[in-house]
Amino acid sequence: MRDIFPVLFGERWDEARAIFYAHFAANHMKQLRPLLGAETLLKTLRARGVYLAVVSNKTGRFLREEVDELGWSDHFSRLVGAGDALFDKPATAPVKMALEPLGLTVGAQGIGHTWFVGDADIDMECAHAARCLPVLVGGGEGSDFTQFPPAFRFDNCTALCDLISLLSEPILQGACGAR
C-alpha cells in the first residue's frame, strides 16, 4: 500500500488508505478462511520442531488479529506484516526480521536452508531475493512465475504436508511461511 497508493491516489493517498483500512477492519474477520490442510501442516511442522514465521503484506495488526482468531499464534515465533519492517515484500527486510530470533541472516545459509512458502508471485520474488527455497502453495492464479519460479509447487497445504511427512528431520532445519 505504501508503494502503490501514492501512485494511484496522488496527494490524497492518506485519505484513501484511511477509507480502505476502515472498511477492511470492519470486514476482514468475516472473510477469514484457512487454506485446505493449513492447520494440519502447521501442527506437523511444529511437532517436528521447525521454526515458523509469517511474512505478509497484510498490515501487521490485521495479520496478528487473524492468526489469533484462527488459534494459530502458538505455531509462529514471528509474525511480520506490512509496516513492521522498514520495507515490505518483496524486499528482504521483513524476512530478515522473521529470521532474527534464530540468529540467521538473509541468504547466508544459501537456498534450501530456509523455506519460503507462499501463494503468490510476490512471495516467490521475495524468496529469491532472500535466497530462500521458494515453495508455492495454491494455483497462484493470474501470476507469472517466469522470472521468479517456485522450486516446488503444491496444490494445497495437504499436499505439502504429505511431502513433509516423507522427509527426514535433518532436511527440515528451518521454514519461513508467507501469506
Side-chain angles (χ1 to χ4, degrees):
M1 177 177 290
R2 61 182 162 181
D3 295 329
I4 197 68
F5 266 42
V7 173
L8 293 174
F9 301 105
E11 292 178 10
R12 298 183 65 193
W13 83 273
D14 271 334
E15 181 183 347
R17 176 178 57 185
I19 292 167
F20 173 83
Y21 280 137
H23 177 77
F24 191 84
N27 295 289
H28 75 113
M29 291 299 195
K30 297 174 193 171
Q31 306 300 320
L32 185 62
R33 305 281 184 279
L35 295 174
L36 176 67
E39 187 165 10
T40 300
L41 175 61
L42 292 173
K43 287 178 179 179
T44 299
L45 291 169
R46 183 151 184 219
R48 287 179 160 226
V50 174
Y51 175 85
L52 295 169
V54 174
V55 173
S56 177
N57 271 351
K58 184 171 289 187
T59 300
R61 182 185 113 213
F62 295 127
L63 170 66
R64 288 181 277 281
E65 286 175 7
E66 290 180 5
V67 170
D68 272 348
E69 178 68 20
L70 291 168
W72 293 354
S73 295
D74 290 343
H75 294 300
F76 300 104
S77 297
R78 275 277 164 98
L79 298 168
V80 182
D84 291 340
L86 186 58
F87 300 101
D88 299 326
K89 283 190 311 188
T92 61
V95 179
K96 180 181 178 186
M97 185 180 278
L99 295 176
E100 281 175 346
L102 291 178
L104 299 176
T105 56
V106 171
Q109 289 69 38
I111 293 176
H113 181 80
T114 301
W115 294 21
F116 193 108
V117 180
D119 63 357
D121 51 359
I122 196 169
D123 298 320
M124 299 303 100
E125 181 177 351
C126 188
H128 279 269
R131 297 196 42 157
C132 296
L133 185 72
V135 179
L136 181 67
V137 174
E141 288 80 17
S143 298
D144 178 15
F145 298 104
T146 306
Q147 190 172 0
F148 303 104
F152 297 100
R153 189 174 194 158
F154 299 92
D155 289 337
N156 53 49
C157 293
T158 301
L160 175 55
C161 191
D162 290 345
L163 173 69
I164 298 298
S165 297
L166 297 174
L167 295 176
S168 62
E169 289 186 30
I171 292 173
L172 294 175
Q173 295 178 12
C176 182
R179 179 166 189 253

